[in-house]
Amino acid sequence: DDEIRAVYQQLCQRAAAALHRDGGVIVDATFRRRQDVEAFAGVSPAVAHPAWIVCDAPPEVLLERAEARARGKSVSDAGPEVVAAQIAACQGRYQPPAPPLARLDTTRPVQELLDDLAAELDAKLEHTA
């Protein structure tokens, strides 16, 4: 757990630096456990309250993707065993600490996801403007 915590803390430091340097940042991480969120958000006030975009897929799809990564040359440590353990530990849909800006079904084609995300974000911007 200390190693995982350190990874999320370093991710936060890098995100805060990118936010400061570039004005925005997208962080791609699992955040399956509350401790992961706390480790990330606790390092820098700049990223303490992230906006959430949740990517969902059915468990069988997640396992298929993990098996494909294990057969290929992936740098991900999320092989089939890790993904199966995450699915077992976190039954149901992921619920982020705050309402998500969008929830995407990643079994759909990428261009459809991007179009839907753009539309959802545009609608939220119009609502807050």
Side-chain angles (χ1 to χ4, degrees), residues 11-17 19 25 27 37 40-51:
L11 185 60
C12 176
Q13 291 169 345
R14 290 180 180 192
L19 180 63
V25 63
V27 175
V37 175
F40 179 83
V43 174
S44 171
V47 295
H49 303 288

Side-chain angles (χ1 to χ4, degrees), residues 2-32:
D2 287 343
E3 190 174 298
I4 294 170
R5 182 174 189 75
V7 168
Y8 277 94
Q9 288 173 337
Q10 183 179 58
L11 185 60
C12 176
Q13 291 169 345
R14 290 180 180 192
L19 180 63
H20 178 71
R21 180 184 64 246
D22 303 325
V25 63
I26 295 174
V27 175
D28 179 3
T30 305
F31 291 108
R32 277 283 182 191

